[in-house]
Amino acid sequence: MKGVANVETVLKIDHLTKKFSGLVAVNDLSIEMRKHTIHALIGPNGSGKSTTVNLVTGFLKTSEGTVKYHGEEIQDRPIHEISRKGISRTFQNLKLFKSMTVLENLMVGGHSKTEQGILNFLVNPVKARQEEKMLKEKAEDILNTLGMYELRNENIGNIAYGRQKVTELGRALMCDPKLLFLDEPAAGLNPTERVEFVSILLKVFESGIDLFLIEHNMDVVMNISNMITVINFGTKIAEGTPKEVQNDTQVISAYLGDKYRK
Amino acid sequence: MKENKKYLKIFLYTLLAIVLLILPEIISNSYYQLLINQTLINAIVVMGLNYITGMTGQMNMGTGGIYALGAYGMALLTTKTGLSPWLGLLLAIVLGLLIGRGLGYPSLRISGIYLALTTIAFAEVVRLLLTNWSDFTGGAIGVQGIPKFSIFGYTLDTDQKYYYMLLVLTAILAITAKRIISSKWGRVFQSIKDNPDAAEACGVNIAQIKILAFTLAAVYGCIGGALYSCLMGYISSNTFNQDLSINYLIMMMLGGIGSVAGNILGAGLVTILPEMLKVLENYYWLIFSIIMLIFAIFMPYGLVSVPGKIMRYYKSKKKRW
Amino acid sequence: MASQIIQLIINGVAMGFIYALVSMEYTIIYNSTGLLNFSHDKFITLGAYIFAGTFVLGIGVNPIVGVLATIITMFLFGVIVAVGIFNPLRNMPSRLFAIMGTIALGRIISEAIRLIYGATAKTVPGFITGVYRIGSIVISKATLVIIGVSILVVVILQIYMMKTKAGKAMRCVNQNKTAATLMGINVSRSIMITIAISAVICTIIGVLVVPLYSINVSMSNTIGLKGYAAGIIGGFGYLPGAIIGGLLIGVIENLSTVVIAPVYKDCVSYIIMIIVILIQPRGLRALIRRKK
């Protein structure tokens, strides 16, 4: 039966369309993402990749189409609600809390998982302290696995760009996501940092979090993803395993121009 | 080293507490006593403003309106019904909760300059209503004969006695503010100022947090207003003009945004200092405004940021050598 | 009744033009620097004081010479403020500090006015007085002058922005500062000229309201706020909207006195402004764009 979510499907994007006053940024895009996959979305500049992620995570309102997460429609829901369902994300141009330390950045990420309301907070300092301690320990744990424990008390502005990217990933992990969207995780990293970041991503994936990534860097995409969707001008032009996509003529012409078509 | 610092801190706090407790004995001048009481009240209002503008970054230029409603709530309740000022204080808190919601909702749709202008308009509407609805509010003449607080039949009839009550209230509210600011709440407030998109992506319900910050600000503001009513015994709508709202912003900026100590310091500077420096007479406010401008440009984080800056300067010098 | 309403509308249009000028004066600064000048009402007051206090009552020159001299003085004042204050504020890390900066500037101006000219209010006797009568309608000369001068200012500003090189540069800076720099436009200079022009418009407003109000430190508080209301209603940062918004507010608040007590006249504009912000923050601009 159509429309009923497959048990294995985590995210089902159906006929998703986004128009910006006349310009069609995403056109009738359908993607199905299965459990235990690293799904990559690639395409030339301006092909609508970031728009797609913004639509799924609630940062943009859809023009048409549906997005289902475990069978539940989530398009046009408020961002924080989507986040609380277990979908986290990072941003293409880092969005960190600049006035805070690395640790505090992560602790904000865990805020939505805390229970104590403001009234209870005011009358029950003991529980408040416990909660704060738990939040701190969790953040320190994550920083430890990311190899950033030493930098925890540095102000976010004083650390290297690569480390900032890792911090943002750590903050996303604080919400206990089941599905993590990564908008160009390797952009701006040097080759060493890139290798390190990929190994971190694989570690995250092994801990049971599915990854959906947008990436320009083909090494990264071809090495780690099990499924790739290629879009151009907002329309899907190919989908398959890295090998299938690499040999697709449409993909080659989209990336290299028609001249190179065999 | 760390131990020493801790002892020093305890010593300084004790010293501060002693000074604050015997302050009324030191100052015999009743006018200064009034100013100090006013400072405590202003400190409460500024701590409130700090939640919404200092921490959350939502420009609230209508503090005067909040303060006015708290003051009139207290004044009208006590003079018209003869109820105890304690009930007036309770009413002020309820008013604060309502105003916080009322002002919080606009902040969900708009921010920045739009919010600043909305809050200014709110304060102006409040002031115009208080001035012109004279049957109920007494108009420009104001409300007279606001009673004093009494505790178990002991009336706080002098400013000295009232000082101790204000001191206790300010201390409670300051500790609460300190706790909130340095907890998860303070962090999410700040996350909204730093990057609302990212905060929302972390699952923070921005709407709820903004309303919380506005509510805290309004409750503090209304408590301040109510206490002011009882301090003066007489209020009139002329007090609550746009300049008042701006004065609170100045206190916050001058002391240091986001810091409770800075808030109290700022309240003191703006309230007491003009009287201390009467030598400068007419020129005081001009000089003060110029200092204020220099602060806004060169030391935007206020007085509390100065020691840190000096320390960093020396450290960098040491490194160079 | 009909003539009373016509009377109210005419006075409303005159006040509306004042609000429109106020709203234009801060909109050009907002567009080119991104800063809302919270000291703009003090600029207006300062203009009125320099005109009345220094030139007409002090030196005793002819009012027309006085206006020209004031405009030149305020232009220079605008340049100084732009270089010394707006330039550093424009690059502050947070909007909050910039707002505080302009507020402090406003305080400085009003304190300086109080020290220089004293706390007592001033009036300029015999400056644009007299009335015209058409049937039962009484129109003061000041009303006509306000309408005439305002239209002139609007037209001149429009020609300046559309036809002159400096005006075109100003529009470029409004749209994209980086691109303007790359195209060889001196952004700081363009901003300086914009602020100076804004100061000149403030002066004109200040002189125009001299026949209406007595000159004192808080004379322009209300029109300053109403100017914001006009800007919001017209769509913030949108010049034609600012003019329409100003006229709308002027007429509506005057007509509202037919229905409610005149003392609540000022509330009307603010409440309209709050409602517009809550329903459609882009104001009239949203309507215009949609029609296209």
Side-chain angles (χ1 to χ4, degrees), chain B residues 59 109-110 120 246-247 296, chain C residues 92 96 103 107 225 277-278:
Chain B
M59 199 63 195
R109 281 184 56 97
I110 50 170
I120 293 180
I246 287 172
N247 268 346
Chain C
M92 294 304 283
L96 201 72
I103 287 174
R107 279 281 166 92
L225 278 179
I277 287 181
L278 292 184

Side-chain angles (χ1 to χ4, degrees), chain A residues 177-211:
Chain A
K178 294 279 169 297
L179 174 57
L180 182 56
F181 281 83
L182 299 152
D183 198 344
E184 306 218 4
L189 300 184
N190 65 33
T192 346
E193 287 174 325
R194 208 180 296 152
V195 171
E196 202 182 327
F197 204 95
V198 166
S199 76
I200 291 174
L201 283 185
L202 288 173
K203 229 194 270 177
V204 169
F205 178 64
E206 272 153 29
S207 72
I209 298 169
D210 298 332
L211 303 178

